[in-house]
Amino acid sequence: FLGKEVVEIKNFKSASRDDILAVHSVTYIKGLEKAMDTIGKEDLVMIDTSGPTYATITTFSDAMMAAGAGITLVDSVVAASKITNDPPSGFALVRPPGHHAVPRGPMGFCVFGNVAIAARYAQRVHGLQRVLIIDFDVHHGNGTNDAFYEDPDVYFISTHQEGSYPGTGKMEEVGKGSGEGTTLNFPLPGGAGDQAISAVFNEVIVPAAQRFKPDIILVSAG
């Protein structure tokens, strides 16, 4: 639809360890990297049982590249915002996904929290202090939720199917400490369709975002 207005970014770098450390523990990162040395070329190793989540010999480098794609997108959107009056947008189509990965480890097919890493990068490198993250996957983005649960500068909003994996994301989970009020969870009943989702976005999420006044909006698209 946009034709020549779309710019495809083909050459980008992997995330750095510092980028990953902004969200995940050093113990987890070192342990996962070390585990790569024990995996054979054709092996498939389970690294988390709740999803379950598996790893191959290239999982660490693949996950670093996926996180790097999100970071590159932040750089590109920030650069574009300086030369256009219209707010630019971008989309990163990456695997492995990230929103279930918790700060201390992998979970639910996810290795590193891509959108959480991009959020911290936007704050640290570009000074975009107030970050809004909207997650509309059928599953709750528990990893992203946990990463910012006590952070007043990152507003995490999730719509998800009630009772689905991983069972988190209750409406009463609204943040903790200084982050209380900057987590908003909407567990919706199975079968909730366009009308229900539209109502949630138009009547609750949009007004909440406007009050928060984010410097950048990041979306986890499932």
Side-chain angles (χ1 to χ4, degrees):
F1 178 74
L2 293 173
K4 293 180 180 179
E5 295 180 38
V6 176
V7 178
E8 184 177 355
I9 304 169
K10 294 183 178 180
N11 299 313
F12 56 90
K13 296 180 180 179
S14 296
S16 69
R17 277 168 176 72
D18 285 343
D19 294 328
I20 308 299
L21 280 168
V23 173
H24 295 283
S25 71
V26 64
T27 303
Y28 167 47
I29 297 168
K30 286 184 176 180
L32 181 63
E33 187 174 26
K34 188 175 181 180
M36 297 298 99
D37 297 332
T38 66
I39 299 176
K41 190 174 291 188
E42 304 298 327
D43 288 347
L44 190 64
V45 177
M46 185 180 292
I47 56 174
D48 171 68
T49 58
S50 71
T53 308
Y54 294 93
T56 68
I57 196 171
T58 64
T59 290
F60 186 83
S61 59
D62 291 342
M64 293 288 280
M65 185 64 75
I71 286 171
T72 301
L73 198 62
V74 169
D75 286 338
S76 301
V77 167
V78 170
S81 71
K82 296 176 180 178
I83 58 174
T84 178
N85 292 325
D86 297 323
S89 60
F91 186 79
L93 182 61
V94 298
R95 283 293 183 268
H99 76 161
H100 291 311
V102 294
R104 66 183 181 279
M107 188 174 173
F109 315 127
C110 301
V111 179
F112 295 141
N114 301 321
V115 77
I117 291 164
R120 286 295 187 220
Y121 179 86
Q123 291 178 318
R124 187 177 75 254
V125 175
H126 295 290
L128 302 174
Q129 195 61 26
R130 295 176 72 79
V131 182
L132 172 65
I133 301 175
I134 300 174
D135 187 323
F136 64 84
D137 187 29
V138 69
H139 304 119
H140 179 237
N142 61 295
T144 315
N145 184 103
D146 292 356
F148 304 114
Y149 204 62
E150 298 183 44
D151 191 332
D153 292 323
V154 179
Y155 198 163
F156 175 70
I157 302 176
S158 175
T159 59
H160 46 274
Q161 183 174 317
E162 185 176 19
S164 63
Y165 179 89
T168 53
K170 304 293 191 296
M171 193 166 284
E172 57 267 27
E173 295 175 24
V174 295
K176 182 180 178 183
S178 59
E180 186 174 352
T182 53
T183 297
L184 191 57
N185 284 300
F186 286 96
L188 300 171
D194 294 347
Q195 189 173 354
I197 292 291
S198 294
V200 168
F201 270 82
N202 293 331
E203 297 174 20
V204 184
I205 293 178
V206 170
Q210 290 171 333
R211 286 194 299 270
F212 182 66
K213 295 181 173 62
D215 297 314
I216 189 170
I217 300 172
L218 303 177
V219 178
S220 276

